[in-house]
Amino acid sequence: MTDDTTSSSSYLRRLGMWSGAAIVVGGVIGSGIFRTPATVAERTGSGLPLLALWVLGGLLTLAGVLCYAELGARRPQAGGIYLYLREAFGALPAFLFGWTMALINYPGSVAAVAVTFADYACRAVSLPAVWVKPVAAGAIFFIVGVNLFGVRAGAWLVNVFTLLKLAAISMLLVVGLVLAHGHFDGILAVDTTVHVSTGAWIGAVLPVLFTYGGFHYLNDMAGEVRDPQRTLPRALTLGLVGVVVCYVLANIAYLVGLGHAGLAASKAPAADLMSNIFGSRGATIMAIGIACSTFGYCSIAIAGGARVLQTMGADGMFFRSVGQIDARWRAPQVALAVLGLWAIVLIITGTFDSLVNYTTVGEWLGHAFGIATLFWYRRKFGAQSSPYRVPLYPVLPFVFVATVLGVIAATVISTPHDAGMSLVIIVLGVPVYALWRRWSSRRA
């Protein structure tokens, strides 16, 4: 694969392994680990099943990441899943993914997490709630502004806030494992008196997978990774392994400091754990940590989502102006502006919560079909040498795809409204695709 970095219409490969790993860590760790463990605890009977879910979810996600490593090494260009689907399955499936993710899920997620950032930031500095939306919109405006100056400026922002979020999680671990007055004896116990229904187990799996989501952003930005055939696999694996370790240790800290029942009853477990030790000052410290974590996620999601939009525009699947790359800064400036403005509109209108709920199933469906393209690449280009090949092929991609599809099917049965709306949004993309192609052909 050639590395064209001399043309003014292409990206520059400036991301090294550590910046790539920071994108993986920052894209996965947002606000979920500070809240989701309470939901998982509520739907499990005791500590051991809870930890088992986080370990299994991490192993499943790691299987997906290893598959993404091979896909990224084979096709080290911007666009990620959209690019793989277009090559393997054609324009319509690629458009449906782009329609669901780049136009709905990405800006919806950015809006939701930006509001979470603003909520915690306002608490930390004692601003009234009326400031939440303006602060959230201002954060997106700032992030877009930095990324307009290219991937190096965006990577600097990501690296700084990834270090800050890891510092917040480290503080959480120290408090939970060392300072909290809990006991390790009970965290691995199984309470046989508590009956957990199958529906509750299914309901616990989805938030775990949701909290592990976001590992694909580095593939979206693969066109800017140096020596991608070597760097992508290493950065993806290193970043995700670090995330799994952080998540498991964080849940152990919650169980030690709050107990399983206390964790299940908590609305904000990270803040509650810090408050138990340091009082209101501890809650303020954790609010700052969560604000840093969510701000870093927004930066990565905006940068990755804009690359998908730009690739769609360059393919004629979206407005051609969105497909342009700035000749000086080598950044998709129009795509960044479009994504940022759309996210701000969602913040102002307050419609982002429904969008995120409605597209979570679609996001993991995209992951399943994206990794399924690996079978096509192996069959089509199996004779060609590849700098990285996923181990235990075809077991790992098959297990990932089958498990994700099984969880999605169970989710459709257990929560038909949100899951059904996700499928409706995907299906609505079919007539949109037809109308777009007709409009594009007439305009041409």
Side-chain angles (χ1 to χ4, degrees), residues 118 129-140 347:
V130 69
W131 281 95
V132 169
K133 286 188 176 181
V135 170
I140 293 176
I347 289 173

Side-chain angles (χ1 to χ4, degrees), residues 329-403:
W329 299 107
R330 306 294 182 89
Q333 293 186 339
V334 178
L336 285 164
V338 169
L339 184 61
L341 288 174
W342 181 226
I344 290 174
V345 169
L346 296 179
I347 289 173
I348 295 173
T349 59
T351 56
F352 52 84
D353 280 335
S354 296
L355 287 177
V356 173
N357 291 337
Y358 292 163
T359 56
T360 297
V361 168
E363 176 181 1
W364 278 91
L365 196 62
H367 286 314
F369 281 97
I371 288 178
T373 63
L374 186 58
F375 298 107
W376 180 85
Y377 280 110
R378 283 289 188 101
R379 187 177 69 252
K380 184 78 172 179
F381 304 103
Q384 296 180 3
S385 61
S386 176
Y388 177 83
R389 288 178 177 265
V390 62
L392 301 178
Y393 178 88
V395 175
L396 283 188
F398 177 78
V399 168
F400 182 91
V401 173
T403 303

Side-chain angles (χ1 to χ4, degrees), residues 149-174:
F149 295 98
V151 71
R152 183 170 291 172
W156 176 85
L157 193 67
V158 167
N159 290 338
V160 169
F161 279 91
T162 297
L163 289 175
L164 290 175
K165 76 171 62 183
L166 289 177
I169 292 178
S170 299
M171 179 174 56
L172 184 69
L173 299 182
V174 170

Side-chain angles (χ1 to χ4, degrees), residues 29-414:
I29 301 178
S31 61
I33 190 58
F34 302 104
R35 292 182 173 184
T36 306
T39 304
V40 180
E42 186 181 2
R43 299 171 184 177
T44 55
S46 48
L48 183 59
L50 180 143
L51 291 176
L53 279 180
W54 285 99
V55 172
L56 291 174
L59 291 177
L60 177 66
T61 308
L62 181 59
V65 161
L66 293 176
C67 296
Y68 269 107
E70 179 172 339
L71 289 169
R74 288 182 177 274
R75 291 295 180 268
Q77 290 91 31
I81 301 175
Y82 170 83
L83 175 65
Y84 314 145
L85 290 173
R86 186 194 67 193
E87 285 198 348
F89 302 139
L92 178 57
F95 178 86
L96 293 180
F97 172 81
W99 154 263
T100 305
M101 300 302 299
L103 298 177
I104 300 175
N105 184 280
Y106 284 177
S109 297
V110 168
V113 178
V115 168
T116 302
F117 155 76
D119 184 27
Y120 280 100
C122 289
R123 290 186 202 178
V125 297
S126 302
L127 282 177
V130 69
W131 281 95
V132 169
K133 286 188 176 181
V135 170
I140 293 176
F141 185 82
F142 174 78
I143 290 170
V144 169
V146 170
N147 278 275
L148 291 178
F149 295 98
V151 71
R152 183 170 291 172
W156 176 85
L157 193 67
V158 167
N159 290 338
V160 169
F161 279 91
T162 297
L163 289 175
L164 290 175
K165 76 171 62 183
L166 289 177
I169 292 178
S170 299
M171 179 174 56
L172 184 69
L173 299 182
V174 170
V175 169
L177 300 178
V178 179
L179 301 178
H181 300 289
H183 300 281
F184 286 94
D185 300 339
I187 63 173
L188 297 179
V190 178
D191 190 349
T192 57
T193 63
V194 178
H195 174 70
V196 180
S197 65
T198 303
W201 276 105
I202 295 171
V205 171
L206 194 61
V208 170
L209 293 181
F210 174 78
T211 310
Y212 275 115
F215 55 87
H216 59 282
Y217 287 117
L218 183 59
N219 285 62
D220 293 341
M221 305 171 68
E224 291 156 288
V225 176
R226 290 197 304 265
D227 191 11
Q229 283 84 2
R230 289 169 54 86
T231 302
L232 273 168
R234 293 179 179 182
L236 284 164
T237 304
L238 177 64
L240 203 279
V241 169
V243 169
V244 174
V245 172
C246 285
Y247 278 10
V248 173
L249 290 178
N251 277 274
I252 292 175
Y254 289 140
L255 290 171
V256 171
L258 301 174
H260 185 272
L263 178 58
S266 176
K267 299 297 183 184
D272 289 345
L273 181 59
M274 292 294 291
S275 297
N276 287 348
I277 306 301
F278 301 111
S280 60
R281 181 177 297 178
T284 300
I285 294 172
M286 187 47 59
I288 295 173
I290 296 175
C292 292
S293 180
T294 49
F295 187 91
Y297 169 84
C298 288
S299 180
I300 294 168
I302 288 173
R307 269 68 180 178
V308 177
L309 273 180
Q310 182 273 320
T311 305
M312 292 179 65
D315 279 349
M317 295 293 183
F318 201 50
F319 297 104
R320 287 288 184 183
S321 58
V322 177
Q324 297 175 0
I325 299 174
D326 180 73
R328 179 181 180 185
W329 299 107
R330 306 294 182 89
Q333 293 186 339
V334 178
L336 285 164
V338 169
L339 184 61
L341 288 174
W342 181 226
I344 290 174
V345 169
L346 296 179
I347 289 173
I348 295 173
T349 59
T351 56
F352 52 84
D353 280 335
S354 296
L355 287 177
V356 173
N357 291 337
Y358 292 163
T359 56
T360 297
V361 168
E363 176 181 1
W364 278 91
L365 196 62
H367 286 314
F369 281 97
I371 288 178
T373 63
L374 186 58
F375 298 107
W376 180 85
Y377 280 110
R378 283 289 188 101
R379 187 177 69 252
K380 184 78 172 179
F381 304 103
Q384 296 180 3
S385 61
S386 176
Y388 177 83
R389 288 178 177 265
V390 62
L392 301 178
Y393 178 88
V395 175
L396 283 188
F398 177 78
V399 168
F400 182 91
V401 173
T403 303
V404 170
L405 292 179
V407 171
I408 290 174
T411 304
V412 171
I413 296 172
S414 60

